[in-house]
Structures are given as structure tokens and as C-alpha cells.
Amino acid sequence: MKTKFVRTMDYDRFRFFNTNRNIVESHVRKLMASISEVGLLEEITINEDYYIIDGQHRFEALKRMSEDIVAKIKIGASSDSIIPVNIMRRGWSITDYINFYAGQGNHNYQLIKDIIESNDSKLSTGTLLDLYCKGFYMPNYLRKGKYEINIEKGKRLAEMLIGLEPFIPLYSQTTKFARAFSQVVKTNENFDIKRLQKQLQKRKLMIYPNVSDTVRSIVEVYNQSLSEKNRIF
């Protein structure tokens, strides 16, 4: 790509992709303070149509300060350039990736975004991503736009976890337990939640920082006094 530079105070000329991250007010204020003290350390990046590829917070700070916008123009850059440019500067959060791909029209990401935004339980974003994932959740796949959702299975798993609250009151909806529980259920088609609830009335389930150890604990409690053909692993 060819690179050119521009300096202007024509703020209305600049545009945002709908896949740009949301503006974080605290970050804008910090940038304004930094620019006032030491000046602009790095120009923003735009394409030839003045869509901002990188530097939306710097743009907002400069605009509020009525300062010139110094921009590097990358000819041919598109919304697909947003992720690699921003990763090089500053890592994106999982929510940033979800919003980006949802904004690009990826149906899987639009669905999980809606689920996360409407969540009124104690289940965290990471837990919901795990529960609703078609297979086993891998953050790297989500970052690459390869996340696939299974709504029916996700709802079932979420309901199971919430239903375990009376039996594991402090941990049933925590990430460290939910990840282990999700792994057990997804691995065993014959898993019976009523069986586990019955066992938890008689036996204590140990929750460990390590997912694999918690998986082992769930399996041991579930399998206690159970015939081999009905056991899970």
C-alpha cells in the first residue's frame, strides 16, 4: 500500500467504520492530557476515503482540543485492516472482536453479542462464550472470526449451571467451575443433570483453580456408586 500524509481541521471529513471500537471516554481524556503535555506522538491512520483505520481515540481527543488532525493515508485500506493494525498497537479485548465481526455481518457473532448484552445472570462473558460455542471454546478461533454458536446447547448448559446454585451456592456460576462443567457435559452425551444434583446432596464437590482438576472432581462425584456402562469420563 502507498502511504501519504494529510493535516487538516476539517473534522467532518473523517468517517468511522461500524466495526471501529466504541469510544472509551477515560481513554480520550488521558490522550488529551498527554497531547497537551508532550504533543501528538503518533498520527492516526485513514484510507483514501477518510475512514479511520487506527486512532479513533486520538482523533476524538484532537477534535475536542480544536487541534489539527495529522493523518497517515493508506491507499486501499479497508475495515479488514482494523484488527491487524490495532493488535500491533494495543491488544483488543474479546468484546472488541465480537463487536467487530458482528458489525461485519457475521451471524454467529451477532447472536452471541445479543446473548451477552441481554444476560442478567451471574455468568460472565467468557463463560457464555464457552457454553454457547458449537464445540470447545478457543479464544484464538474467536479472534480469527471462526467462532460458531449452538444456541440450543448453550441455553441448556446455562440453565443447568443456574439450576446448580442450590447445590453449589458459591461456585455454580463462576468461570472456573462453568468451564469444567461445560467440558464434562460436551464430552459426555449421556450426562444427566438430575444425577449430579442427587449426588451433590450426599457428596461434596471440590472446586480447583485448574479446570482439569475440577473436571476430575465432577466426574468422581457423578460416577460414585454408578455402574460402569453409565459412567462419564
Side-chain angles (χ1 to χ4, degrees):
M1 292 182 187
K2 297 180 179 179
T3 303
K4 298 181 180 180
F5 291 87
V6 65
R7 179 187 292 269
T8 181
M9 290 185 70
D10 186 2
Y11 308 121
D12 292 337
R13 193 172 182 183
F14 294 86
R15 294 186 280 180
F16 293 90
F17 287 107
N18 63 358
T19 50
N20 283 107
R21 288 187 287 181
N22 294 328
I23 294 293
V24 179
E25 185 63 29
S26 61
H27 188 36
V28 174
R29 290 197 297 269
K30 287 179 182 178
L31 284 171
M32 290 173 68
S34 174
I35 292 169
S36 296
E37 184 176 350
V38 299
L40 182 67
L41 298 178
E42 184 178 359
E43 68 279 348
I44 71 172
T45 302
I46 61 176
N47 67 12
E48 64 272 28
D49 296 318
Y50 280 65
Y51 276 98
I52 296 175
I53 303 298
D54 176 46
Q56 59 185 12
H57 286 87
R58 277 166 281 155
F59 169 81
E60 185 64 24
L62 291 166
K63 179 181 176 181
R64 294 185 191 184
M65 298 170 71
S66 298
E67 296 281 354
D68 286 347
I69 303 295
V70 180
K72 177 170 57 179
I73 302 176
K74 284 196 171 183
I75 307 299
S78 67
S79 61
D80 291 335
S81 307
I82 292 175
I83 285 183
V85 168
N86 279 277
I87 287 176
M88 289 176 65
R89 287 198 73 254
R90 177 168 168 254
W92 275 21
S93 69
I94 289 297
T95 301
D96 290 328
Y97 286 101
I98 294 170
N99 290 336
F100 176 82
Y101 288 116
Q104 282 198 321
N106 187 307
H107 190 53
N108 285 285
Y109 286 78
Q110 290 172 339
L111 289 172
I112 193 63
K113 182 175 184 289
D114 289 342
I115 289 168
I116 291 169
E117 290 179 349
S118 62
N119 175 45
D120 58 2
S121 71
K122 299 175 186 176
L123 300 173
S124 68
T125 294
T127 296
L128 291 171
L129 286 166
D130 191 327
L131 300 181
Y132 281 86
C133 187
K134 186 176 180 180
F136 293 102
Y137 171 57
M138 291 183 284
N140 193 43
Y141 269 54
L142 181 139
R143 296 187 185 101
K144 293 178 179 179
K146 297 180 179 180
Y147 182 85
E148 292 185 81
I149 192 171
N150 185 323
I151 292 182
E152 184 179 344
K153 182 181 288 184
K155 283 182 178 179
R156 177 169 166 261
L157 281 166
E159 288 171 358
M160 285 182 182
L161 282 171
I162 294 171
L164 286 173
E165 181 76 19
F167 305 93
I168 318 174
L170 297 178
Y171 296 101
S172 67
Q173 295 183 55
T174 61
T175 299
K176 59 184 177 182
F177 174 74
R179 288 182 61 195
F181 180 79
S182 174
Q183 183 174 321
V184 170
V185 176
K186 289 182 179 181
T187 304
N188 297 275
E189 292 184 2
N190 63 329
F191 180 86
D192 183 355
I193 186 62
K194 291 182 179 180
R195 163 71 186 179
L196 180 60
Q197 290 174 335
K198 183 178 179 180
Q199 290 294 93
L200 290 173
Q201 291 177 325
K202 300 180 290 184
R203 294 176 174 81
K204 183 178 180 180
L205 177 67
M206 300 299 295
I207 311 295
Y208 299 95
N210 186 293
V211 171
S212 60
D213 288 336
T214 303
V215 166
R216 189 185 70 251
S217 180
I218 295 170
V219 170
E220 287 177 353
V221 169
Y222 187 97
N223 286 341
Q224 188 70 38
S225 303
L226 193 64
S227 63
E228 188 172 347
K229 68 175 183 178
N230 294 317
R231 291 184 177 184
I232 60 173
F233 58 92

